[in-house]
Amino acid sequence: MNKGELIDAVAEKANVTKKQADAVLTAAIETIVEAVSSGDKVTLVGFGSFESRERKAREGRNPKTNEKMEIPATRVPAFSAGKQFRERVAPAKE
């Protein structure tokens, strides 16, 4: 599912126009990106959490030359699925 298909599905479920659904979805995504990029954690109960994580510096290899190189530390965005989301995707076997 791409963004256009998601907008169509949201518009249908929420009984709003596609233009309204697009505006709300775009605003929600922008708000999450801004919050996470400024170091905040965004938690949507039942869905999951978005946060920024530190990735340590590490040694890597250049695939062309096989030469060792240092990969610097950086911050990366991360998503952790919530319990309800995980259970819906992979129901517990009894």
Side-chain angles (χ1 to χ4, degrees), residues 49-71:
S49 300
F50 298 90
E51 63 185 327
S52 122
R53 293 188 184 147
E54 292 292 326
R55 183 177 286 167
K56 294 179 184 176
R58 62 195 191 281
E59 190 177 275
R61 290 193 179 269
N62 181 330
K64 283 187 176 180
T65 63
N66 208 23
E67 180 180 312
K68 286 184 182 180
M69 57 188 277
E70 186 69 24
I71 300 170

PDB file of all heavy atoms in Angstrom, residues 49-71:
ATOM      1  N   SER A  49       5.641   3.059  18.808  1.00  0.00           N
ATOM      2  CA  SER A  49       6.409   4.242  19.196  1.00  0.00           C
ATOM      3  C   SER A  49       7.455   4.576  18.142  1.00  0.00           C
ATOM      4  O   SER A  49       8.104   3.685  17.598  1.00  0.00           O
ATOM      5  CB  SER A  49       7.136   3.988  20.514  1.00  0.00           C
ATOM      6  OG  SER A  49       6.226   3.706  21.536  1.00  0.00           O
ATOM      7  N   PHE A  50       7.609   5.858  17.903  1.00  0.00           N
ATOM      8  CA  PHE A  50       8.639   6.372  17.010  1.00  0.00           C
ATOM      9  C   PHE A  50       9.651   7.098  17.889  1.00  0.00           C
ATOM     10  O   PHE A  50       9.261   7.865  18.763  1.00  0.00           O
ATOM     11  CB  PHE A  50       8.054   7.377  16.007  1.00  0.00           C
ATOM     12  CG  PHE A  50       7.018   6.795  15.090  1.00  0.00           C
ATOM     13  CD1 PHE A  50       5.677   6.799  15.447  1.00  0.00           C
ATOM     14  CD2 PHE A  50       7.379   6.250  13.867  1.00  0.00           C
ATOM     15  CE1 PHE A  50       4.715   6.272  14.599  1.00  0.00           C
ATOM     16  CE2 PHE A  50       6.423   5.726  13.014  1.00  0.00           C
ATOM     17  CZ  PHE A  50       5.091   5.735  13.385  1.00  0.00           C
ATOM     18  N   GLU A  51      10.941   6.847  17.665  1.00  0.00           N
ATOM     19  CA  GLU A  51      11.973   7.534  18.435  1.00  0.00           C
ATOM     20  C   GLU A  51      13.258   7.577  17.625  1.00  0.00           C
ATOM     21  O   GLU A  51      13.382   6.934  16.595  1.00  0.00           O
ATOM     22  CB  GLU A  51      12.216   6.834  19.775  1.00  0.00           C
ATOM     23  CG  GLU A  51      12.744   5.428  19.645  1.00  0.00           C
ATOM     24  CD  GLU A  51      12.868   4.730  20.985  1.00  0.00           C
ATOM     25  OE1 GLU A  51      13.156   5.406  21.984  1.00  0.00           O
ATOM     26  OE2 GLU A  51      12.686   3.504  21.020  1.00  0.00           O
ATOM     27  N   SER A  52      14.204   8.358  18.131  1.00  0.00           N
ATOM     28  CA  SER A  52      15.504   8.424  17.495  1.00  0.00           C
ATOM     29  C   SER A  52      16.470   7.639  18.367  1.00  0.00           C
ATOM     30  O   SER A  52      16.403   7.716  19.590  1.00  0.00           O
ATOM     31  CB  SER A  52      15.891   9.894  17.328  1.00  0.00           C
ATOM     32  OG  SER A  52      17.071  10.212  17.932  1.00  0.00           O
ATOM     33  N   ARG A  53      17.323   6.835  17.735  1.00  0.00           N
ATOM     34  CA  ARG A  53      18.287   6.023  18.481  1.00  0.00           C
ATOM     35  C   ARG A  53      19.691   6.346  18.020  1.00  0.00           C
ATOM     36  O   ARG A  53      19.914   6.684  16.858  1.00  0.00           O
ATOM     37  CB  ARG A  53      18.029   4.535  18.258  1.00  0.00           C
ATOM     38  CG  ARG A  53      16.723   4.065  18.843  1.00  0.00           C
ATOM     39  CD  ARG A  53      16.571   2.572  18.776  1.00  0.00           C
ATOM     40  NE  ARG A  53      15.251   2.184  19.276  1.00  0.00           N
ATOM     41  CZ  ARG A  53      14.557   1.165  18.825  1.00  0.00           C
ATOM     42  NH1 ARG A  53      15.047   0.391  17.877  1.00  0.00           N
ATOM     43  NH2 ARG A  53      13.377   0.899  19.326  1.00  0.00           N
ATOM     44  N   GLU A  54      20.624   6.204  18.943  1.00  0.00           N
ATOM     45  CA  GLU A  54      22.033   6.428  18.633  1.00  0.00           C
ATOM     46  C   GLU A  54      22.623   5.139  18.051  1.00  0.00           C
ATOM     47  O   GLU A  54      22.413   4.064  18.604  1.00  0.00           O
ATOM     48  CB  GLU A  54      22.814   6.805  19.899  1.00  0.00           C
ATOM     49  CG  GLU A  54      22.453   8.151  20.475  1.00  0.00           C
ATOM     50  CD  GLU A  54      22.875   9.312  19.613  1.00  0.00           C
ATOM     51  OE1 GLU A  54      23.924   9.228  18.944  1.00  0.00           O
ATOM     52  OE2 GLU A  54      22.138  10.313  19.594  1.00  0.00           O
ATOM     53  N   ARG A  55      23.322   5.269  16.955  1.00  0.00           N
ATOM     54  CA  ARG A  55      24.042   4.133  16.392  1.00  0.00           C
ATOM     55  C   ARG A  55      25.520   4.405  16.627  1.00  0.00           C
ATOM     56  O   ARG A  55      26.033   5.440  16.221  1.00  0.00           O
ATOM     57  CB  ARG A  55      23.747   3.992  14.896  1.00  0.00           C
ATOM     58  CG  ARG A  55      24.426   2.776  14.290  1.00  0.00           C
ATOM     59  CD  ARG A  55      24.075   2.595  12.842  1.00  0.00           C
ATOM     60  NE  ARG A  55      22.705   2.097  12.729  1.00  0.00           N
ATOM     61  CZ  ARG A  55      22.022   2.063  11.591  1.00  0.00           C
ATOM     62  NH1 ARG A  55      22.569   2.537  10.480  1.00  0.00           N
ATOM     63  NH2 ARG A  55      20.810   1.584  11.558  1.00  0.00           N
ATOM     64  N   LYS A  56      26.211   3.482  17.293  1.00  0.00           N
ATOM     65  CA  LYS A  56      27.617   3.662  17.634  1.00  0.00           C
ATOM     66  C   LYS A  56      28.492   3.639  16.392  1.00  0.00           C
ATOM     67  O   LYS A  56      28.118   3.075  15.366  1.00  0.00           O
ATOM     68  CB  LYS A  56      28.071   2.549  18.576  1.00  0.00           C
ATOM     69  CG  LYS A  56      27.413   2.575  19.927  1.00  0.00           C
ATOM     70  CD  LYS A  56      27.905   1.428  20.775  1.00  0.00           C
ATOM     71  CE  LYS A  56      27.166   1.408  22.103  1.00  0.00           C
ATOM     72  NZ  LYS A  56      27.557   0.252  22.915  1.00  0.00           N
ATOM     73  N   ALA A  57      29.662   4.249  16.525  1.00  0.00           N
ATOM     74  CA  ALA A  57      30.659   4.186  15.448  1.00  0.00           C
ATOM     75  C   ALA A  57      31.097   2.730  15.316  1.00  0.00           C
ATOM     76  O   ALA A  57      31.161   1.991  16.305  1.00  0.00           O
ATOM     77  CB  ALA A  57      31.846   5.076  15.776  1.00  0.00           C
ATOM     78  N   ARG A  58      31.398   2.312  14.099  1.00  0.00           N
ATOM     79  CA  ARG A  58      31.811   0.936  13.884  1.00  0.00           C
ATOM     80  C   ARG A  58      32.748   0.846  12.694  1.00  0.00           C
ATOM     81  O   ARG A  58      32.847   1.766  11.899  1.00  0.00           O
ATOM     82  CB  ARG A  58      30.603   0.033  13.699  1.00  0.00           C
ATOM     83  CG  ARG A  58      29.756   0.388  12.485  1.00  0.00           C
ATOM     84  CD  ARG A  58      28.390  -0.296  12.563  1.00  0.00           C
ATOM     85  NE  ARG A  58      27.658  -0.178  11.314  1.00  0.00           N
ATOM     86  CZ  ARG A  58      27.008   0.890  10.914  1.00  0.00           C
ATOM     87  NH1 ARG A  58      26.989   1.966  11.667  1.00  0.00           N
ATOM     88  NH2 ARG A  58      26.366   0.908   9.766  1.00  0.00           N
ATOM     89  N   GLU A  59      33.390  -0.280  12.593  1.00  0.00           N
ATOM     90  CA  GLU A  59      34.310  -0.494  11.484  1.00  0.00           C
ATOM     91  C   GLU A  59      33.576  -1.221  10.375  1.00  0.00           C
ATOM     92  O   GLU A  59      32.835  -2.161  10.617  1.00  0.00           O
ATOM     93  CB  GLU A  59      35.495  -1.341  11.965  1.00  0.00           C
ATOM     94  CG  GLU A  59      36.614  -1.423  10.965  1.00  0.00           C
ATOM     95  CD  GLU A  59      37.787  -2.214  11.507  1.00  0.00           C
ATOM     96  OE1 GLU A  59      38.617  -1.609  12.209  1.00  0.00           O
ATOM     97  OE2 GLU A  59      37.845  -3.430  11.233  1.00  0.00           O
ATOM     98  N   GLY A  60      33.775  -0.757   9.145  1.00  0.00           N
ATOM     99  CA  GLY A  60      33.156  -1.401   8.001  1.00  0.00           C
ATOM    100  C   GLY A  60      34.193  -1.625   6.919  1.00  0.00           C
ATOM    101  O   GLY A  60      35.378  -1.361   7.104  1.00  0.00           O
ATOM    102  N   ARG A  61      33.737  -2.127   5.781  1.00  0.00           N
ATOM    103  CA  ARG A  61      34.638  -2.344   4.649  1.00  0.00           C
ATOM    104  C   ARG A  61      34.029  -1.740   3.396  1.00  0.00           C
ATOM    105  O   ARG A  61      32.833  -1.836   3.175  1.00  0.00           O
ATOM    106  CB  ARG A  61      34.865  -3.831   4.408  1.00  0.00           C
ATOM    107  CG  ARG A  61      35.681  -4.499   5.474  1.00  0.00           C
ATOM    108  CD  ARG A  61      36.115  -5.879   4.994  1.00  0.00           C
ATOM    109  NE  ARG A  61      36.919  -6.539   6.007  1.00  0.00           N
ATOM    110  CZ  ARG A  61      38.232  -6.443   6.069  1.00  0.00           C
ATOM    111  NH1 ARG A  61      38.894  -5.745   5.184  1.00  0.00           N
ATOM    112  NH2 ARG A  61      38.893  -7.082   7.018  1.00  0.00           N
ATOM    113  N   ASN A  62      34.880  -1.136   2.590  1.00  0.00           N
ATOM    114  CA  ASN A  62      34.455  -0.617   1.298  1.00  0.00           C
ATOM    115  C   ASN A  62      34.275  -1.835   0.386  1.00  0.00           C
ATOM    116  O   ASN A  62      35.217  -2.583   0.154  1.00  0.00           O
ATOM    117  CB  ASN A  62      35.536   0.318   0.743  1.00  0.00           C
ATOM    118  CG  ASN A  62      35.152   0.912  -0.586  1.00  0.00           C
ATOM    119  OD1 ASN A  62      34.422   0.307  -1.366  1.00  0.00           O
ATOM    120  ND2 ASN A  62      35.665   2.097  -0.858  1.00  0.00           N
ATOM    121  N   PRO A  63      33.058  -2.076  -0.148  1.00  0.00           N
ATOM    122  CA  PRO A  63      32.827  -3.275  -0.950  1.00  0.00           C
ATOM    123  C   PRO A  63      33.647  -3.312  -2.255  1.00  0.00           C
ATOM    124  O   PRO A  63      33.954  -4.385  -2.756  1.00  0.00           O
ATOM    125  CB  PRO A  63      31.333  -3.257  -1.236  1.00  0.00           C
ATOM    126  CG  PRO A  63      30.856  -1.905  -0.879  1.00  0.00           C
ATOM    127  CD  PRO A  63      31.853  -1.286   0.040  1.00  0.00           C
ATOM    128  N   LYS A  64      34.012  -2.160  -2.781  1.00  0.00           N
ATOM    129  CA  LYS A  64      34.791  -2.131  -4.026  1.00  0.00           C
ATOM    130  C   LYS A  64      36.254  -2.500  -3.797  1.00  0.00           C
ATOM    131  O   LYS A  64      36.832  -3.284  -4.542  1.00  0.00           O
ATOM    132  CB  LYS A  64      34.723  -0.749  -4.686  1.00  0.00           C
ATOM    133  CG  LYS A  64      33.430  -0.477  -5.399  1.00  0.00           C
ATOM    134  CD  LYS A  64      33.516   0.829  -6.160  1.00  0.00           C
ATOM    135  CE  LYS A  64      32.244   1.063  -6.954  1.00  0.00           C
ATOM    136  NZ  LYS A  64      32.295   2.322  -7.689  1.00  0.00           N
ATOM    137  N   THR A  65      36.847  -1.913  -2.754  1.00  0.00           N
ATOM    138  CA  THR A  65      38.287  -2.094  -2.530  1.00  0.00           C
ATOM    139  C   THR A  65      38.591  -3.063  -1.394  1.00  0.00           C
ATOM    140  O   THR A  65      39.739  -3.432  -1.192  1.00  0.00           O
ATOM    141  CB  THR A  65      38.945  -0.743  -2.196  1.00  0.00           C
ATOM    142  OG1 THR A  65      38.384  -0.268  -0.978  1.00  0.00           O
ATOM    143  CG2 THR A  65      38.748   0.263  -3.303  1.00  0.00           C
ATOM    144  N   ASN A  66      37.561  -3.459  -0.645  1.00  0.00           N
ATOM    145  CA  ASN A  66      37.704  -4.324   0.524  1.00  0.00           C
ATOM    146  C   ASN A  66      38.576  -3.674   1.607  1.00  0.00           C
ATOM    147  O   ASN A  66      39.123  -4.345   2.468  1.00  0.00           O
ATOM    148  CB  ASN A  66      38.262  -5.695   0.125  1.00  0.00           C
ATOM    149  CG  ASN A  66      37.793  -6.775   1.084  1.00  0.00           C
ATOM    150  OD1 ASN A  66      36.774  -6.617   1.749  1.00  0.00           O
ATOM    151  ND2 ASN A  66      38.534  -7.854   1.167  1.00  0.00           N
ATOM    152  N   GLU A  67      38.696  -2.365   1.526  1.00  0.00           N
ATOM    153  CA  GLU A  67      39.522  -1.592   2.451  1.00  0.00           C
ATOM    154  C   GLU A  67      38.715  -1.281   3.715  1.00  0.00           C
ATOM    155  O   GLU A  67      37.531  -0.958   3.648  1.00  0.00           O
ATOM    156  CB  GLU A  67      39.897  -0.295   1.726  1.00  0.00           C
ATOM    157  CG  GLU A  67      40.743   0.674   2.448  1.00  0.00           C
ATOM    158  CD  GLU A  67      41.000   1.890   1.555  1.00  0.00           C
ATOM    159  OE1 GLU A  67      41.373   1.703   0.380  1.00  0.00           O
ATOM    160  OE2 GLU A  67      40.801   2.998   2.052  1.00  0.00           O
ATOM    161  N   LYS A  68      39.362  -1.390   4.892  1.00  0.00           N
ATOM    162  CA  LYS A  68      38.683  -1.071   6.149  1.00  0.00           C
ATOM    163  C   LYS A  68      38.425   0.432   6.218  1.00  0.00           C
ATOM    164  O   LYS A  68      39.226   1.222   5.745  1.00  0.00           O
ATOM    165  CB  LYS A  68      39.545  -1.482   7.341  1.00  0.00           C
ATOM    166  CG  LYS A  68      39.602  -2.963   7.572  1.00  0.00           C
ATOM    167  CD  LYS A  68      40.382  -3.274   8.817  1.00  0.00           C
ATOM    168  CE  LYS A  68      40.477  -4.771   9.029  1.00  0.00           C
ATOM    169  NZ  LYS A  68      41.247  -5.093  10.239  1.00  0.00           N
ATOM    170  N   MET A  69      37.277   0.774   6.833  1.00  0.00           N
ATOM    171  CA  MET A  69      36.955   2.190   7.015  1.00  0.00           C
ATOM    172  C   MET A  69      36.147   2.343   8.294  1.00  0.00           C
ATOM    173  O   MET A  69      35.498   1.401   8.746  1.00  0.00           O
ATOM    174  CB  MET A  69      36.183   2.742   5.810  1.00  0.00           C
ATOM    175  CG  MET A  69      34.895   2.005   5.491  1.00  0.00           C
ATOM    176  SD  MET A  69      34.139   2.517   3.963  1.00  0.00           S
ATOM    177  CE  MET A  69      33.268   3.938   4.501  1.00  0.00           C
ATOM    178  N   GLU A  70      36.198   3.527   8.869  1.00  0.00           N
ATOM    179  CA  GLU A  70      35.462   3.823  10.098  1.00  0.00           C
ATOM    180  C   GLU A  70      34.117   4.441   9.715  1.00  0.00           C
ATOM    181  O   GLU A  70      34.074   5.425   8.990  1.00  0.00           O
ATOM    182  CB  GLU A  70      36.274   4.771  10.973  1.00  0.00           C
ATOM    183  CG  GLU A  70      35.674   5.033  12.331  1.00  0.00           C
ATOM    184  CD  GLU A  70      35.694   3.825  13.263  1.00  0.00           C
ATOM    185  OE1 GLU A  70      36.536   2.928  13.065  1.00  0.00           O
ATOM    186  OE2 GLU A  70      34.859   3.785  14.174  1.00  0.00           O
ATOM    187  N   ILE A  71      33.029   3.848  10.205  1.00  0.00           N
ATOM    188  CA  ILE A  71      31.701   4.404   9.978  1.00  0.00           C
ATOM    189  C   ILE A  71      31.356   5.211  11.235  1.00  0.00           C
ATOM    190  O   ILE A  71      31.341   4.659  12.338  1.00  0.00           O
ATOM    191  CB  ILE A  71      30.656   3.296   9.735  1.00  0.00           C
ATOM    192  CG1 ILE A  71      31.055   2.474   8.498  1.00  0.00           C
ATOM    193  CG2 ILE A  71      29.264   3.893   9.572  1.00  0.00           C
ATOM    194  CD1 ILE A  71      30.240   1.216   8.306  1.00  0.00           C
TER     195      ILE A  71
END
